Amino acid sequence: MASVQRSIWERLPIWRDKYLNLWRIRQLATKVARQEKPTPGEKPVIFFNASTRLEYMSQNGAFSLLSAWGVRMSGTPVIHFVCQRGMSRCVLSSTERNYFEDMPCDKCVNLSEAAFAQAQVQSFTYSQDAALADALEGLNVDQLADFGYQGMAYGQIVLPSVRWCKRRHHLQDDDTTRTLFTEFILSAYHIRREFQALLDRSEPQAVVVFNGLMFPEAIAKLAAQERGIPVVMHEVGYQPFSGFFSTGEATAREVEVGDDFQLNDAQEARLQNYLSQRFSGSFTMAGIQFWPEMSQLDERFLEKAAGFKQIVPIFTNVIFDTSQPHANVVYEHMFAWLDDLLTVIQAHPETLFVLRAHPDEMRTGKASHETVKQWVQNNRVDELENVVFIHSEEFISSYELIGRSKFMVVYNSSIGLEGALLGKAVLCGGEAWYARFPTVFFPKTPAGFRQKIEELLNAEEIVVPEVFQTNARRLLYYQNYQAALPFDEYLGKHSLRGFVRFKSFKVEDLLPSNAPAIASILKGIKEKERVFTISEENLG
């Protein structure tokens, strides 16, 4: 009885935030509808986001809703393309905890009814295509991944979603994987038909979707792009409660920073303040704080390190992360890169290699099923005398490790940019967003990677081009403060980890004249900009 009472007591803040959020969202939606004044003759903007929320509002769900409200307040018509039991299976209801449970559509629809109250909505429900279902019958996972239909590579389109749901890159040929592939393809095909019909009727000036990688938004993105309609994609930004909006692939985080963008004294001070917090572990990403604490290197590690000529840390990533399709350019995937690195490690016993698993790899509720820890065990890497493995639940300071290293090796993690910023030589195995600029060493072939790491390991002294550190500071500032659109005026932390609550604010606060983020989104849509940014004078 006591445990039941404790459970209820612990849930009270979550329930409070949930129902207060629903009430506040509905109130705001109603006020927006009363005050919007559509400009006669202007083509609408379609908003679609079906992969970031069910009964609670995520950051990207909130970014989409707030942006749509702001666009409507500016006089531009908005159409919401809304799922109303429109898929046989969706991404968020297909995680390891509920692969074959009933879809939680009632909860999702309830939130949609509040969010899109009195808005212009085009909803879609699900119907299965019999011919497509027959064509998918009996296919194995490899065949499903390569499956095409009516000229569209549906298998490849849904593949990132299947990997994300299964929390792995290498998919097993089992019932759940085949079912997810089949249902996602059937649902993607249906969404495509429904979205094409909406495009026919509305002839929009632009489409705004969540990151464009999860299959519902990916198929809508492709349908719009086939007609030459600009598609804006969004992801979380590098600052709390900020969004990254781009007509490029949002998960690739491509930014355009000209040579004329140089930091002044105030910007340098602002960046330094951010770095001080970052280096102490005080930061969040997508509402998640990865480091509950940050420990220094202990005496046992330092004694071991003293027996080696040099230290080289290796920073990995999460294998199913949405950045990985963009990173897998030189190597097929991160584990192929690690296999290559293992031969280097074995050939250099004089070097202590510190292999670090990404802190998000074993996040509660999103733990990877294909981990660096498993790779280490399967290849007996932890038995090598010149390797120290730091698993994802060890909160040891990466920055102290970098400070003691000769150089560092990363796949595509943001720690590589921070290493460059600290003046350290960084060697990338995957195509990180910052590797497109002169900040790190990024060979374009496996042979080139092996040659470069040998060169760095054998060098008496590594000379890092000064421009690497300068560019790293410019890029991090730009990504943090100009390409991260601020929504913190409207959003706060929810009591349920990873979600947001809506603050109390006036809908007039969403007018472009009052909201830098909304002004940027409108400008980006109208002028078809690659990356949506806020101007320096609007920086808070």
Side-chain angles (χ1 to χ4, degrees):
M1 184 65 176
S3 62
V4 172
Q5 290 176 334
R6 184 166 60 251
S7 176
I8 292 173
W9 183 255
E10 290 170 349
R11 295 286 298 178
L12 280 177
I14 298 173
W15 291 336
R16 177 204 62 205
D17 280 357
K18 174 184 176 179
Y19 292 109
L20 181 59
N21 237 8
L22 278 173
W23 177 84
R24 191 163 281 159
I25 289 169
R26 189 181 292 276
Q27 291 293 311
L28 289 165
T30 301
K31 290 177 180 178
V32 169
R34 288 173 183 165
Q35 297 193 34
E36 67 174 327
K37 296 179 181 178
T39 303
E42 183 170 2
K43 291 184 176 182
V45 176
I46 297 175
F47 280 77
F48 179 42
N49 183 346
S51 301
T52 67
R53 62 165 184 81
L54 290 173
E55 60 180 312
Y56 299 99
M57 188 67 77
S58 69
Q59 285 201 56
N60 270 299
F63 298 158
S64 178
L65 184 57
L66 288 164
S67 301
W69 284 344
V71 171
R72 288 168 61 189
M73 291 288 289
S74 76
T76 298
V78 165
I79 300 173
H80 292 281
F81 187 58
V82 180
C83 179
Q84 296 255 335
R85 300 175 178 84
M87 293 174 266
S88 59
R89 291 224 68 87
C90 71
V91 172
L92 287 183
S93 67
S94 303
T95 60
E96 59 182 323
R97 292 173 293 181
N98 53 12
Y99 285 133
F100 295 127
E101 291 181 6
D102 291 339
M103 295 262 282
C105 294
D106 289 344
K107 296 175 180 179
C108 182
V109 169
N110 189 41
L111 181 53
S112 292
E113 288 175 350
F116 309 128
Q118 300 184 41
Q120 189 175 353
V121 171
Q122 178 61 56
S123 60
F124 62 97
T125 55
Y126 180 68
S127 63
Q128 181 172 292
D129 184 87
L132 176 57
D134 289 342
L136 293 167
E137 184 71 28
L139 299 184
N140 63 32
V141 164
D142 289 339
Q143 291 169 326
L144 288 163
D146 292 333
F147 182 81
Y149 191 70
Q150 296 179 355
M152 184 65 62
Y154 282 99
Q156 290 300 302
I157 291 167
V158 307
L159 178 59
S161 299
V162 177
R163 283 175 170 159
W164 189 89
C165 290
K166 295 295 289 184
R167 309 293 197 239
R168 56 171 54 247
H169 178 88
H170 295 94
L171 297 172
Q172 299 167 319
D173 193 5
D174 55 24
D175 286 342
T176 57
T177 308
R178 290 191 295 270
T179 298
L180 288 181
F181 252 122
T182 300
E183 300 303 330
F184 284 1
I185 290 172
L186 287 166
S187 298
Y189 177 77
H190 177 68
I191 291 172
R192 176 177 169 80
R193 290 193 304 176
E194 293 286 324
F195 198 71
Q196 285 177 322
L198 175 58
L199 295 177
D200 288 338
R201 291 191 298 271
S202 61
E203 297 183 348
Q205 61 175 298
V207 171
V208 181
V209 300
F210 168 61
N211 75 23
L213 194 64
M214 295 295 100
F215 82 83
E217 294 81 8
I219 202 71
K221 172 191 72 175
L222 291 172
Q225 289 175 337
E226 285 174 343
R227 303 177 182 221
I229 299 169
V231 179
V232 178
M233 288 158 267
H234 59 88
E235 256 292 355
V236 292
Y238 271 34
Q239 288 291 287
F241 304 113
S242 72
F244 179 77
F245 284 68
S246 172
T247 51
E249 297 293 331
T251 48
R253 299 189 182 277
E254 297 177 6
V255 294
E256 298 173 340
V257 183
D259 293 337
D260 58 338
F261 179 73
Q262 302 294 331
L263 303 187
N264 58 35
D265 291 344
Q267 292 167 330
E268 287 282 5
R270 188 179 196 187
L271 179 61
Q272 198 58 46
N273 180 62
Y274 163 79
L275 291 173
S276 297
Q277 297 180 47
R278 177 90 182 182
F279 294 161
S280 67
S282 179
F283 65 92
T284 62
M285 188 70 176
I288 303 298
Q289 182 165 345
F290 296 121
W291 304 93
E293 58 182 331
M294 188 175 281
S295 306
Q296 302 304 303
L297 299 174
D298 59 27
E299 287 300 320
R300 186 174 59 176
F301 174 87
L302 296 176
E303 288 175 8
K304 182 179 179 69
F308 292 87
K309 176 183 176 182
Q310 55 204 9
I311 300 173
V312 175
I314 300 169
F315 295 93
T316 62
N317 213 306
V318 179
I319 193 64
F320 64 87
D321 186 77
T322 52
S323 69
Q324 295 307 282
H326 309 294
N328 299 334
V329 173
V330 177
Y331 291 90
E332 183 181 356
H333 49 77
M334 184 185 70
F335 289 115
W337 167 72
L338 283 173
D339 289 341
D340 219 2
L341 271 173
L342 181 54
T343 63
V344 176
I345 292 170
Q346 293 167 332
H348 286 272
E350 81 288 349
T351 301
L352 179 62
F353 293 91
V354 184
L355 180 62
R356 170 139 223 178
H358 194 280
D360 203 28
E361 189 173 73
M362 297 304 294
R363 188 208 302 182
T364 302
K366 196 183 174 183
S368 179
H369 289 180
E370 190 175 9
T371 66
V372 173
K373 184 177 181 179
Q374 292 168 348
W375 178 87
V376 166
Q377 293 170 342
N378 293 341
N379 289 279
R380 304 176 72 174
V381 179
D382 51 348
E383 297 177 16
L384 297 174
E385 183 61 29
N386 66 329
V387 173
V388 171
F389 174 59
I390 301 175
H391 62 73
S392 61
E393 295 167 306
E394 288 185 89
F395 306 117
I396 295 171
S397 172
S398 294
Y399 305 109
E400 184 183 0
L401 186 59
I402 292 169
R404 294 176 179 272
S405 67
K406 182 178 184 182
F407 65 96
M408 55 188 287
V409 183
V410 304
Y411 195 60
N412 71 311
S413 173
S414 60
I415 193 72
L417 182 65
E418 294 170 330
L421 188 146
L422 292 168
K424 192 66 64 174
V426 179
L427 177 60
C428 279
E431 185 166 346
W433 68 269
Y434 52 82
R436 303 182 188 99
F437 298 84
T439 54
V440 296
F441 298 111
F442 178 48
K444 299 303 174 65
T445 64
F449 179 86
R450 291 189 293 270
Q451 180 180 344
K452 189 63 182 181
I453 196 170
E454 289 290 344
E455 176 189 320
L456 295 172
L457 284 167
N458 295 320
E460 290 298 321
E461 180 182 0
I462 297 174
V463 178
V464 181
E466 186 177 340
V467 69
F468 281 16
Q469 187 173 26
T470 301
N471 281 338
R473 296 186 74 85
R474 293 169 59 237
L475 282 173
L476 187 57
Y477 186 91
Y478 195 89
Q479 188 71 266
N480 273 8
Y481 301 114
Q482 296 205 299
L485 306 187
F487 291 90
D488 54 321
E489 181 180 348
Y490 319 105
L491 303 174
K493 187 177 180 181
H494 196 284
S495 54
L496 191 61
R497 187 184 186 201
F499 295 95
V500 296
R501 61 177 176 82
F502 277 63
K503 293 180 179 178
S504 180
F505 61 88
K506 298 177 181 178
V507 294
E508 290 81 6
D509 295 338
L510 292 168
L511 287 168
S513 56
N514 299 327
I518 302 302
S520 170
I521 291 166
L522 275 168
K523 181 174 181 290
I525 289 172
K526 304 289 185 186
E527 300 181 11
K528 300 178 176 60
E529 293 182 340
R530 180 71 170 176
V531 175
F532 297 4
T533 60
I534 52 177
S535 59
E536 192 70 20
E537 58 267 21
N538 286 328
L539 293 177

